[in-house]
Amino acid sequence: MHIASHHRTAAKKCIIYQEGMDATWRRGSMGRPTIMDVAARAGVSQSTASLALRGSNRVRPATRERVLQAAEELHFTLSRSASSLASGRTMRIFMLVSPALNTWFNGAIMQGAYKALHRHGYDLIPYAVSNDAELSEFFATLRGGKNADGAIVSSFDLNDDFKRLLKTLDIPTIGLNTPTTEGFDASVCIDNIAAMGNAVRFLHSQGHRHLAFVEEPDFEPFSFSSSLRSRGFLDAARQLGYADDDLTVIRGEQTEGYHSPQDAISQIVARLLSAPKRPTGICVETDGFAVTLMQELRRQQLRIPEDCSVIGFDDDTVAAAVELTTIHQDPMTLGRRAAELVLKLIQHEAVESPHRIQETSLVLRNTTGPAPRQ
Amino acid sequence: MHIASHHRTAAKKCIIYQEGMDATWRRGSMGRPTIMDVAARAGVSQSTASLALRGSNRVRPATRERVLQAAEELHFTLSRSASSLASGRTMRIFMLVSPALNTWFNGAIMQGAYKALHRHGYDLIPYAVSNDAELSEFFATLRGGKNADGAIVSSFDLNDDFKRLLKTLDIPTIGLNTPTTEGFDASVCIDNIAAMGNAVRFLHSQGHRHLAFVEEPDFEPFSFSSSLRSRGFLDAARQLGYADDDLTVIRGEQTEGYHSPQDAISQIVARLLSAPKRPTGICVETDGFAVTLMQELRRQQLRIPEDCSVIGFDDDTVAAAVELTTIHQDPMTLGRRAAELVLKLIQHEAVESPHRIQETSLVLRNTTGPAPRQ
DNA sequence: TTGTACGCGTTATCAC
DNA sequence: GTGATAACGCGTACAA
């Protein structure tokens, strides 16, 4: 992958900053302008130019103006690489997500973090991994702290080896919806267990006596699926007095090995409808899978919410579109908070409570209703 | 924003690479290991270490192994900033999107580009803008070519000033779904006009004699809405012999100034239903707005597709969930192709046809059907 | 307030 | 194949 190329090639296109250039610009006609060119043009030293360009108050306003104008005329921009090397700060924050950038959740946390970071001059560098090898690569990139000032790690259930690696990283690391806060300097998470409790109690109040929880099938081997939601479901249900045979829990891994996703879904619906005590209130691990499940339920002639109620989790774009009752969470704020935490830690500011929980709420729409009679 | 901090602070956490360190490691006990430490530990010169770490074949395999092992033992990682400064390559590609990272389209192109770039060692740096000031800032960051090796600019209808700026950038710049290819070194776009033609001809074949095209209301002032789709709609319809009063076109800007989005939507539906020749086939600029529109249409007791057919554009997540007939496009591939093009241009490879068109296709689902009788 | 001098960690050239 | 040495562009003590 290393292609032979000329070292320090001159700009390929029209170099418009050469227009109107006077004799103080002495570097010849090729090459990009450096801060020294700016300094020369403004009639100051290189260090003064540096101070002025970064808005230091140690420089006289008039001087600063001259420098800024010279920079503008030369079309000069600071080199971040050179700045990083000299200052020790990279102005870069890595964000680790899985398995891809284009999921509703990952998009939202990126956007939230992006805005907070960008405002402070930091770049957000996304890093998507879908297996352990890529994860190792990520940690290798970060170690030594020379390539980033901080990292945000999203939704990962790191094994012990990686947790250990995490602690050897000498930059602040923030967990985002991680099942445990161990190894992170700070974290922002939602309370999955409490959220599920709300859903279960709502179904109970609507008269549903037989409930189910359906995990999203693990079609991708590396996909992270916390067991927190099913646990929350079970905890709350038992506390309300539901017996074990009132509850049906369908695990994600139980649906592995089928020929097609469609088979797995049919299988799930079959188990739901053939249960000794057929559930009328169904909680699904994610909105995305809730929609898929509902399509199959309707194909089997079940009416929603008349015959059975369905509650999703996330409140993503699709949930609103199909008017799904669901548990709302706000990943954009999650991302923003995570970014704010990294920034504070980078600046060695004190953070009162580094591990934070963010609220969720149950949003009632059209897929839930009272339990059917009989 | 510049916080006073100690220059070159030592690693804050346990520096585990200090374990097992012998006397050849001469930089004292603080600071991160540099390539010189690796070279010393492997018993080679610093330049040999550099070659070995980058997998040059100019170094003997045994030597390379020693260097790699030393690097591993010291937990050493190359500093990208230092590499960039020395080599002139930043290994970074900027991606300009609007207005945010977390849209279906932007997420997909990022993912597509990310994978292609990451494989070649490049970082993808997203840059989201929602007004001209931020756009200027973006160009300022890029100018001089010291901060990125290339840029991908998505879905922007740049004005002439920015097009001029684009040409002064001395790095390859790729347009992605830009209305014009002017100023870009290469581009990948879909053919909006042809795509709409397919939709219109399909509705025609289903017997629809009165058609409508609905643009998404411009709730955000800076939002980019190309007129290509409405043009494609009109072109195709006229070619099929539709008269002007057979066609209703609702522009995005016509819905500005309402108190709420809901008002704007009601207004649109009202115009649709009160048209002299009420349209039975409706094309909508985006899937997202098609779903909103359908909700309002149903609220007005229209059955879809019995009373009227609706076709969206994008085939996003929501479209599949609500089984919307739509025009499918594949932004992930768009992103990948754009990335492949930047990489080629960076390496000064010849690109046969720099401006490419990507196919779209009409996906028939449950929101379209034959025109109602009478 | 401004200037001098040095170092950041790496790549690339060119001898050996 | 390997090793000195000179950049790369900027930040920052320190001196003036």
Side-chain angles (χ1 to χ4, degrees):
Chain A
M1 246 323 291
H2 280 275
I3 274 52
S5 73
H6 299 301
H7 191 207
R8 292 180 242 302
T9 59
K12 307 193 318 282
K13 302 185 193 174
C14 151
I15 305 179
I16 73 168
Y17 54 75
Q18 286 183 359
E19 301 166 7
M21 218 142 278
D22 60 39
T24 64
W25 195 66
R26 329 197 67 244
R27 297 186 69 251
S29 60
M30 58 186 4
R32 318 196 220 276
T34 77
I35 200 172
M36 291 223 281
D37 303 320
V38 174
R41 185 172 242 270
V44 298
S45 78
Q46 184 247 27
S47 56
T48 302
S50 175
L51 290 174
L53 285 170
R54 287 176 299 138
S56 161
N57 49 2
R58 282 172 48 194
V59 69
R60 193 184 309 165
T63 312
R64 169 171 36 245
E65 264 325 301
R66 284 216 314 287
V67 174
L68 259 42
Q69 190 182 340
E72 191 57 40
E73 290 166 1
L74 296 178
H75 276 205
F76 170 82
T77 302
L78 285 171
S79 156
R80 298 192 183 188
S81 297
S83 299
S84 298
L85 193 54
S87 70
R89 291 177 235 109
T90 65
M91 303 307 279
R92 289 188 279 235
I93 306 292
F94 274 83
M95 181 157 204
L96 180 68
V97 299
S98 172
L101 309 182
N102 60 332
T103 67
W104 170 80
F105 186 85
N106 290 342
I109 60 175
M110 284 179 58
Q111 171 64 18
Y114 172 81
K115 283 217 303 206
L117 295 176
H118 187 77
R119 183 143 37 96
H120 294 271
Y122 283 82
D123 281 339
L124 200 231
I125 304 190
Y127 205 109
V129 306
S130 48
N131 55 55
D132 275 359
E134 292 176 346
L135 194 50
S136 296
E137 202 184 79
F138 172 76
F139 279 105
T141 303
L142 250 54
R143 78 187 170 195
K146 284 179 294 194
N147 290 327
D149 295 340
I152 298 172
V153 173
S154 167
S155 307
F156 266 94
D157 195 3
L158 299 173
N159 65 31
D160 289 345
D161 285 348
F162 284 119
K163 278 185 192 149
R164 218 167 295 126
L165 266 178
L166 204 58
K167 290 171 188 160
T168 72
L169 254 37
D170 33 24
I171 53 175
T173 310
I174 315 297
L176 196 160
N177 263 10
T178 48
T180 144
T181 63
E182 186 193 338
F184 294 104
D185 299 306
S187 66
V188 283
C189 297
I190 60 166
D191 189 339
N192 284 286
I193 294 185
M196 287 309 305
N198 289 335
V200 169
R201 283 186 296 276
F202 169 71
L203 287 174
H204 180 256
S205 80
Q206 295 289 90
H208 295 272
R209 291 298 163 252
H210 308 306
L211 307 182
F213 182 84
V214 182
E215 284 184 0
E216 179 152 16
D218 287 338
F219 295 129
E220 303 215 14
F222 191 66
S223 77
F224 155 76
S225 172
S226 142
S227 57
L228 258 28
R229 294 186 186 168
S230 58
R231 188 136 58 97
F233 170 84
L234 285 173
D235 287 357
R238 285 174 181 147
Q239 197 156 356
L240 287 171
Y242 286 89
D244 275 3
D245 61 351
D246 293 329
L247 305 173
T248 308
V249 174
I250 298 181
R251 302 280 173 190
E253 64 269 22
Q254 290 177 336
T255 48
E256 278 176 6
Y258 287 96
H259 295 305
S260 69
Q262 181 57 48
D263 277 6
I265 291 159
S266 305
Q267 176 73 10
I268 289 172
V269 169
R271 290 183 56 199
L272 249 22
L273 300 187
S274 64
K277 300 192 171 178
R278 188 167 76 70
T280 61
I282 303 175
C283 295
V284 188
E285 191 189 2
T286 66
D287 287 345
F289 193 61
V291 169
T292 305
L293 194 66
M294 288 194 302
Q295 288 177 341
E296 185 66 21
L297 286 169
R298 289 190 172 120
R299 200 162 289 137
Q300 302 304 326
Q301 311 303 324
L302 262 83
R303 292 164 307 160
I304 300 170
E306 292 81 1
D307 299 328
C308 90
S309 290
V310 174
I311 299 183
F313 203 122
D314 281 344
D315 197 15
D316 66 15
T317 331
V318 175
V322 304
E323 312 198 55
L324 172 68
T325 292
T326 189
I327 294 164
H328 173 89
Q329 67 167 323
D330 180 2
M332 209 157 113
T333 300
L334 231 38
R336 178 170 59 70
R337 294 233 170 105
E340 290 166 351
L341 284 169
V342 222
L343 291 178
K344 282 200 177 177
L345 291 178
I346 287 173
Q347 298 159 189
H348 301 288
E349 275 185 39
V351 171
E352 56 291 7
S353 53
H355 299 290
R356 299 184 190 168
I357 298 297
Q358 194 186 303
E359 292 298 309
T360 61
S361 56
L362 185 60
V363 181
L364 303 182
R365 291 201 270 247
N366 299 342
T367 60
T368 46
R373 301 182 173 238
Q374 117 75 290
Chain B
M1 245 328 290
H2 281 273
I3 275 49
S5 72
H6 299 301
H7 191 206
R8 293 181 241 301
T9 59
K12 306 192 320 282
K13 303 183 191 176
C14 154
I15 306 179
I16 72 169
Y17 54 76
Q18 287 184 358
E19 300 165 7
M21 218 142 280
D22 60 42
T24 63
W25 197 67
R26 329 198 68 243
R27 297 187 68 252
S29 59
M30 56 185 7
R32 318 194 220 278
T34 77
I35 201 172
M36 290 223 281
D37 303 321
V38 174
R41 187 173 240 270
V44 298
S45 79
Q46 190 231 34
S47 44
T48 302
S50 176
L51 291 174
L53 286 170
R54 287 177 297 144
S56 162
N57 48 1
R58 283 173 47 195
V59 68
R60 193 182 309 164
T63 312
R64 174 180 21 252
E65 263 327 299
R66 284 216 315 287
V67 174
L68 259 42
Q69 189 182 340
E72 191 58 41
E73 290 165 0
L74 296 178
H75 276 205
F76 169 83
T77 302
L78 284 172
S79 157
R80 299 192 182 187
S81 297
S83 298
S84 299
L85 192 54
S87 70
R89 290 176 238 111
T90 65
M91 305 306 280
R92 290 189 280 239
I93 306 291
F94 275 83
M95 181 157 202
L96 180 67
V97 299
S98 172
L101 309 182
N102 59 332
T103 66
W104 170 79
F105 186 84
N106 290 342
I109 60 175
M110 285 179 57
Q111 171 65 21
Y114 171 82
K115 283 217 303 209
L117 295 176
H118 187 78
R119 183 144 37 94
H120 295 271
Y122 283 81
D123 281 340
L124 171 67
I125 305 190
Y127 205 109
V129 306
S130 47
N131 56 54
D132 275 359
E134 291 176 347
L135 194 50
S136 297
E137 202 184 78
F138 172 76
F139 280 105
T141 302
L142 248 56
R143 76 187 171 194
K146 285 181 293 195
N147 290 326
D149 295 340
I152 298 171
V153 172
S154 165
S155 306
F156 267 95
D157 194 3
L158 299 174
N159 65 33
D160 289 345
D161 285 348
F162 285 118
K163 275 183 194 149
R164 217 167 295 126
L165 267 177
L166 204 59
K167 289 171 189 159
T168 73
L169 255 38
D170 32 24
I171 52 175
T173 310
I174 315 297
L176 196 159
N177 264 9
T178 47
T180 145
T181 62
E182 186 193 340
F184 293 104
D185 298 305
S187 66
V188 282
C189 297
I190 60 167
D191 189 340
N192 284 286
I193 295 186
M196 286 309 306
N198 289 335
V200 169
R201 283 185 295 275
F202 170 71
L203 288 174
H204 180 257
S205 79
Q206 295 290 89
H208 295 273
R209 291 298 165 253
H210 308 307
L211 306 182
F213 182 84
V214 182
E215 283 184 3
E216 178 152 18
D218 287 339
F219 295 130
E220 304 215 15
F222 191 67
S223 78
F224 155 77
S225 170
S226 143
S227 55
L228 258 29
R229 295 185 187 169
S230 57
R231 188 138 57 99
F233 170 84
L234 285 173
D235 286 358
R238 285 177 181 147
Q239 196 155 359
L240 287 170
Y242 286 89
D244 275 3
D245 61 350
D246 292 330
L247 306 172
T248 308
V249 175
I250 299 182
R251 301 280 174 190
E253 63 269 22
Q254 291 176 335
T255 48
E256 276 177 7
Y258 287 97
H259 296 306
S260 68
Q262 180 56 47
D263 277 7
I265 292 158
S266 305
Q267 176 73 12
I268 289 172
V269 169
R271 290 182 56 199
L272 250 22
L273 300 187
S274 64
K277 299 192 171 177
R278 187 166 77 69
T280 60
I282 304 175
C283 296
V284 188
E285 191 189 2
T286 66
D287 286 345
F289 192 61
V291 168
T292 306
L293 194 67
M294 288 195 300
Q295 289 177 342
E296 185 66 22
L297 286 169
R298 290 189 173 121
R299 200 163 289 136
Q300 302 304 327
Q301 311 304 324
L302 262 84
R303 293 163 306 159
I304 301 170
E306 292 81 359
D307 298 327
C308 88
S309 289
V310 175
I311 299 184
F313 203 122
D314 282 345
D315 197 15
D316 67 15
T317 333
V318 175
V322 304
E323 312 196 56
L324 172 68
T325 291
T326 189
I327 293 162
H328 172 91
Q329 68 166 322
D330 179 2
M332 210 156 112
T333 300
L334 232 36
R336 179 169 60 69
R337 294 234 171 104
E340 290 166 352
L341 283 170
V342 222
L343 292 178
K344 281 200 177 174
L345 291 179
I346 288 172
Q347 297 158 191
H348 301 287
E349 276 186 37
V351 172
E352 55 293 7
S353 52
H355 299 288
R356 300 183 188 169
I357 298 298
Q358 196 186 302
E359 292 298 307
T360 60
S361 56
L362 185 60
V363 182
L364 303 182
R365 291 202 270 249
N366 300 342
T367 60
T368 45
R373 304 183 170 235
Q374 116 77 280

